[in-house]
Structure formats: structure tokens, C-alpha cells
Amino acid sequence: MKEIIKKRMFSLMGFLFCLAMSAGAQEEVAGVSVIHEVDTVWNFGYKGVNLASRPMHRIDIAYTSKDLDGNDVLLSGYVCIPQDILDGSQPCDGILLYQHYTQTSYDCAPTRGYAIGEDMVMANPLKPNYIVVCSDYLGFGVNEGKGKGQAFCFSDINGQASIDCLLAARKLLDHRQISQGKFLINAGYSSGGFDAIATQRVRDMKYRDVIKFDKTFVGGMPFDIMEACNAFIEEKDKVGYDPTCLPMVLDMLNRHGNLGFTYEQMFKEPLASNYYEWFLSGKVPMADVMDKVKGKCLSDLVQDDFLNKNSDAFKKVKALVEKNSLANGWIPDSAQHYYSMHVLRDSVVPVQAGRAFIKFLNGYTYDNGKKCQGFTKSIVPERTRLQTNYFLPVGQHTLIGGIVYYIALASNLTAIPVLYYDGELNTHYADFVEPATLMGIIKGLEAKGFDVKGAVKKLMESSGSSSSGGIFGMLAQLEGRLKKMGTSTAEVLQILSDSGVELSDVIQVYTYLTSDSSNSLDIAIEGKGNGSSEPLKTDEPLLTGFYQQYLYNWLEQNNVNIFEGVDK
């Protein structure tokens, strides 16, 4: 009953919104059309349980951007200001440029009052003091029902829409003499994360002198659409993976890229006959669309040609995906900062599609032809321009990833003004995080008198690891325990690697904690890696290279191949 009332309320709001638009109820402010203003309340909670609330003032605006053909188009978005910032009782720290995740219903557009994650961030008990700016994008708000509809995962067009919304919001805030604060954060989750990176890409290529993001904060996003498609196809017969993303990608590419396929050529029934009604009519919310295909796998919904990488149809799709790739032609600004997170078994956005983002930035060393510092991934905040947190061997894209992402974003928004002085990192904080590495933490504990080596030695003796192959005995025991938890050593090592804790870091810690102070040490390998149970002798004090080579061998013998491209 509550859901029915909620839907009817949104429909009524949508009717009033369109009525106001058709009646020309707009106010021109500094070249920006103000459509509507309303006081509202945003809530922080889950499944109807509100833990915190925050009064907000939302200003819906219309502004000019570009469509897919490069023509001017009128779009809408909002500028949402916390009431305590608006009344001057709280200083503004900055602007959060927020990109909303996938929507199919017109009533779920941001300017319809449907908060889609940003409410969880701003109403968090930490109460970040930011003004939120969010675009409806093509196909929603004032653009609903016009042209070719939304441009789902089309990079430049959504990035441009968001940039133009930000520029319009700045004009409005300047005109009303509302402080914009010092910081500008670009953020989005899921397809909103894709759009946030698209926004960053447009900024880097066209607006470096106009816009500076202090951090782009993304989660669960499909940076590489082709990687996502490949991952979906590998699981095409598996129920449990979201079967709506690939059809949406195929439809967007087909409509906006003029591939010329019919729904019957792309989809099987019941999707072929219902695709327009479910995805494009603007009448069905995304949650309801997912309910309609619940229990289906991709091969139930998508024609075989589009699940076959060697077919002509798939090759056409692949060519268009690569043409519109976020990585295609992007010259990243090496002075920008990123935070990226993902759950390991994401059933909606395959982790491979997000991991490609790490690989792209991690390997980037030139900015406009000049050698730059580049991006080195790390889990430690502010030690790098690429902080990553790829974690949890679970698949709950929305429940785990979304809520964890919102809390992490709120925490970062609150912390950034404390960590920086006029854009420079607080030196006290910098000193604090400097030792925040695996080895740094151990050295810090030892400096405080804690015998870390002694504790590890006792633990290994009690478990029998010290006399049963050292690190390999520990791995065997760990594998058994992890298997009971539904994961594996390989997954744990993959999570560590994705999060910036490299294999060499793990080995360095192990060799330090298990070696004595002499320059030589006998290590019993027990047939692991070298085919012999005879002890080996080495003169390396820390044995890092020694253990690393044998761990690689052990992983290969156990059919583990997670360190692609790593120099052994």
C-alpha cells in the first residue's frame, strides 16, 4: 500500500512539474532558468527506517547542453542546498557534483524529487556541508519523451550534461550570493560512477582551466563496457546475475549508434515485445523492471548472436563500444585524485569492468606528452592520487556496495576540509598516514614495545606452520579456513592486489616476521615450487625475492593466475 501511495505521489508531482513547464513557469537568473523551488527533507536510513534527517532547499533549473548529434538541447537538473548553509548558520565546504544511477521511470528523475543516493550522503549523521548539483541527463526532466531518450553509458554526452549543469549551478549561486565553499567533489555509483568518470574525462579534455575536482569518488562502475559485456556473456546461462544491464547497453548502442537492429533481432520473448514499455516508456521504475525478469538469465532474454563474440552482430556492437570507450582518447590530468571501490563478485556490474579503471590509470605515466608522476594505487588515503578499495567476496551490488559507498563518500566529504589547508595536505595528517602500510604498521607496533615477531612465531608454532613448509604450510591452512567462509586464498590475494597491497608487500612482511637477524636462514620448502624437500639456504636478510618466486610457483601449481602482467 505504501508503495502504491508513493508511486501516485510521484506521478502527481510529475504532472504538476510538467504543468508548470507547459505554463512557462520559469525565472531567468543569470542566464539560467529556474523552474521550481521547494523545501524538502532528505533521510539517511534503510528500508523505511530513518536514522537521521536533514532539511534541504532544492532549486530545479533548466540549462543548455548538447545532444548526441552535437546540437543544443535543453536539459534540467537541480541545485540542492542544506537549510543550515542557506540560512548562514553553517559555512559551506564545497559542491558535490553527483551523478545518479540507472533509472527508467520519468518519476525517478532527480528534479521530480526522487533522491537516489545523494540523500543518504547528505543526511548522514556526519552532515557534510556541501551543496549538491545533479543533472537529469537526456531523456528525463524537461527532456523526457524527446529525441532518442537517455544515453545510458554513453560517455561524452553524459559527462557534458553534468559539466554544463555544474556551470549553470555556479552562475545561479553567484547571482544569489550563496557561498560555494573551497572544494569540488565529483561522485557517482554504478552507472553514475561511469558518468562521473565521463565527467572527469570531459573536464580533463576541455575544462582544465575552468574546473578542478578535488576528488572523483566512484563505486561499482563499469569503466570498460566491453569487459562488462564479456563477463556477462561468460555467465549468460547463470541465474543470479542481473540480466537488465546488457540489454540496456545493446539498446542504447543500437538507437544512438544507428546500428539498425530490431528488438526481435536483439531480444527473445518476453523482452522483445515489452522492451519499449519496460525501459523506454518512462512508466516503469527500474526496480519493477528487475522484478519482471527475476529468475531469468541472459540467454533467456538476449538472442544468441549477441552472446556470440564471433558473430557479425557482436562485432558491430564491439566496434561501437570501443569507439565510445572512456579510455579512448582520454589524456588524464595527473594532478587529479580518485577513489574507486567495488565488491569482488558484483552481480550487476562485473568487477572486471571496474578493475580496468585501475589498470588504465595505474599504467598512465604521461600527461599531454610530458612525463608525470602518474597514478599508483593504494588503500591508504592521501598517499596516492589513486586510492582503491576492492573488497568483500560478495555480489550484493546495491545492498553492500551502495550503502558502504554512501557512508564512505560522506566520510570523505566531512574529512577533506579537515585534511587540507587551502588545498595543501595538512602536514600533521601527512605525517600520520606516512607509516600506514603493512610494514609501517608493524614497525610502529615494535617501536611501542610490542614484540610482533615473537607473537607471530608463537602463533606459527601453535598451528604447526613453522615446521610444515613455512609460508606454504600457512597457505594450505589458510585455504582450508577460507573455503569454509566461501572464499579462497586467490580471492584474498586478488582483493589485496586490487586495493594497492601488492604481493611484494605481503612477502616482505612475511619474510621480516619469520626470519631471524642472521644473514642466512635454512628454509624447508617440502616440495613446493622446486620439487625437493631438501632445505634451501639463502643469504638474503629479508628473503623477499626468494619467497616471492616460490609463492608464484606455488600459485601456478595450484592453478591460480591472478597477477596478470606482473613482472616475476
Side-chain angles (χ1 to χ4, degrees):
M1 178 61 71
K2 287 183 179 178
E3 281 299 313
I4 293 173
I5 294 172
K6 186 177 180 181
K7 288 178 182 178
R8 287 179 178 173
M9 285 296 294
F10 278 126
S11 296
L12 178 59
M13 289 169 64
F15 171 75
L16 293 174
F17 177 88
C18 292
L19 185 63
M21 286 300 299
S22 63
Q26 300 182 48
E27 172 195 353
E28 287 289 333
V29 177
V32 179
S33 297
V34 176
I35 303 170
H36 179 234
E37 292 192 48
V38 63
D39 289 330
T40 185
V41 175
W42 281 358
N43 298 308
F44 172 83
Y46 182 64
K47 288 191 173 180
V49 179
N50 295 326
L51 304 177
S53 298
R54 193 170 193 184
M56 306 287 288
H57 181 73
R58 197 184 82 236
I59 308 170
D60 298 331
I61 61 174
Y63 64 95
T64 302
S65 190
K66 297 291 182 181
D67 65 15
L68 283 136
D69 298 318
N71 301 314
D72 285 350
V73 63
L74 190 67
L75 298 181
S76 51
Y78 71 61
V79 184
C80 205
I81 310 166
Q83 287 285 2
D84 49 5
I85 290 178
L86 191 62
D87 64 25
S89 61
Q90 187 68 45
C92 178
D93 287 327
I95 290 177
L96 169 63
L97 181 60
Y98 184 80
Q99 332 288 324
H100 69 78
Y101 53 75
T102 308
Q103 294 295 347
T104 51
S105 169
Y106 294 152
D107 288 341
C108 295
T111 54
R112 290 283 183 90
Y114 192 94
I116 39 184
E118 66 273 44
D119 53 343
M120 291 282 288
V121 176
M122 294 303 296
N124 185 290
L126 291 171
K127 290 195 173 179
N129 294 311
Y130 287 74
I131 294 169
V132 185
V133 175
C134 185
S135 173
D136 284 332
Y137 297 131
L138 281 170
F140 293 93
V142 298
N143 191 251
E144 69 180 47
K146 298 177 182 178
K148 295 180 180 180
Q150 67 168 301
F152 178 70
C153 287
F154 257 73
S155 58
D156 284 353
I157 201 67
N158 290 340
Q160 188 66 57
S162 191
I163 291 286
D164 289 334
C165 191
L166 172 65
L167 295 175
R170 281 179 165 179
K171 287 183 180 179
L172 176 66
L173 293 168
D174 283 342
H175 180 79
R176 296 195 176 185
Q177 298 182 321
I178 299 171
S179 171
Q180 300 176 32
K182 292 181 179 179
F183 301 101
L184 177 60
I185 308 300
N186 173 35
Y189 188 79
S190 195
S191 65
F194 178 96
D195 292 331
I197 297 300
T199 300
Q200 177 75 60
R201 182 180 186 276
V202 172
R203 177 265 166 199
D204 286 356
M205 304 300 285
K206 296 170 62 177
Y207 297 92
R208 287 196 185 200
D209 297 332
V210 180
I211 296 169
K212 172 186 172 291
F213 291 126
D214 292 282
K215 184 171 284 187
T216 287
F217 199 100
V218 296
M221 60 101 181
F223 175 79
D224 190 323
I225 299 297
M226 203 66 247
E227 283 281 1
C229 290
N230 290 335
F232 280 130
I233 289 171
E234 288 176 9
E235 304 291 348
K236 63 182 180 181
D237 298 319
K238 188 172 182 178
V239 175
Y241 280 76
D242 177 28
T244 62
C245 291
L246 184 58
M248 286 190 75
V249 168
L250 291 176
D251 172 60
M252 295 298 163
L253 292 168
N254 185 50
R255 281 188 296 116
H256 296 303
N258 301 312
L259 295 181
F261 297 112
T262 65
Y263 287 143
E264 288 73 20
Q265 288 174 314
M266 292 191 295
F267 307 132
K268 298 177 181 177
E269 295 298 347
L271 187 58
S273 298
N274 291 288
Y275 187 89
Y276 179 84
E277 176 69 17
W278 293 351
F279 289 89
L280 299 177
S281 69
K283 300 175 183 178
V284 185
M286 191 67 209
D288 292 352
V289 174
M290 295 179 76
D291 282 343
K292 292 178 184 298
V293 296
K294 193 172 183 178
K296 303 280 188 182
C297 58
L298 268 179
S299 57
D300 293 330
L301 301 174
V302 178
Q303 295 289 2
D304 295 342
D305 268 359
F306 292 89
L307 300 176
N308 177 4
K309 297 178 185 179
N310 296 316
S311 72
D312 290 339
F314 188 84
K315 288 175 182 176
K316 285 184 179 181
V317 169
K318 182 179 180 181
L320 193 53
V321 167
E322 291 175 348
K323 179 182 176 182
N324 287 280
S325 166
L326 284 171
N328 186 20
W330 181 15
I331 302 173
D333 181 351
S334 58
Q336 295 287 272
H337 290 256
Y338 296 88
Y339 181 105
S340 178
M341 66 159 54
H342 217 116
V343 290
L344 192 65
R345 299 178 194 162
D346 200 316
S347 60
V348 175
V349 180
V351 71
Q352 298 94 312
R355 190 176 290 141
F357 176 61
I358 299 177
K359 291 181 180 178
F360 173 72
L361 284 186
N362 202 210
Y364 200 84
T365 55
Y366 284 85
D367 184 359
N368 282 329
K370 297 178 182 178
K371 192 168 180 62
C372 64
Q373 179 179 335
F375 303 88
T376 302
K377 62 184 176 181
S378 174
I379 200 170
V380 181
E382 314 311 331
R383 286 178 56 89
T384 175
R385 290 186 173 88
L386 178 58
Q387 184 188 352
T388 57
N389 192 353
Y390 278 50
F391 66 114
L392 297 178
V394 294
Q396 292 98 320
H397 174 79
T398 302
L399 174 60
I400 301 294
I403 293 174
V404 172
Y405 170 81
Y406 300 140
I407 293 173
L409 176 55
S411 301
N412 268 256
L413 290 173
T414 307
I416 282 174
V418 178
L419 303 183
Y420 289 87
Y421 294 138
D422 294 325
E424 294 296 323
L425 183 62
N426 180 331
T427 54
H428 298 292
Y429 175 72
D431 291 341
F432 174 74
V433 301
E434 182 60 33
T437 61
L438 290 178
M439 187 60 81
I441 291 168
I442 291 167
K443 291 289 189 180
L445 290 170
E446 289 181 335
K448 294 184 181 298
F450 186 76
D451 185 7
V452 183
K453 277 192 173 187
V456 169
K457 185 177 181 181
K458 287 181 181 178
L459 183 63
M460 292 182 69
E461 287 174 350
S462 66
S463 65
S465 296
S466 60
S467 60
S468 60
I471 192 170
F472 306 105
M474 289 183 70
L475 278 170
Q477 290 189 20
L478 179 63
E479 183 71 15
R481 291 170 183 169
L482 290 173
K483 195 170 287 186
K484 292 177 182 178
M485 298 167 61
T487 184
S488 67
T489 306
E491 284 193 330
V492 171
L493 290 172
Q494 181 69 74
I495 291 169
L496 290 173
S497 178
D498 285 338
S499 299
V501 182
E502 300 297 350
L503 180 62
S504 58
D505 298 322
V506 177
I507 296 300
Q508 185 186 35
V509 168
Y510 175 82
T511 52
Y512 175 74
L513 293 176
T514 58
S515 63
D516 57 24
S517 58
S518 66
N519 284 336
S520 66
L521 192 63
D522 289 343
I523 311 295
I525 300 300
E526 291 197 347
K528 298 294 186 183
N530 71 332
S532 170
S533 60
E534 293 297 317
L536 298 180
K537 196 165 186 172
T538 176
D539 290 327
E540 289 189 62
L542 289 185
L543 305 172
T544 300
F546 170 81
Y547 274 128
Q548 183 163 325
Q549 184 58 56
Y550 278 94
L551 182 54
Y552 274 123
N553 292 346
W554 185 88
L555 291 168
E556 287 177 354
Q557 288 182 9
N558 286 271
N559 298 316
V560 177
N561 182 24
I562 64 173
F563 302 105
E564 181 184 355
V566 176
D567 183 9
K568 299 181 185 180

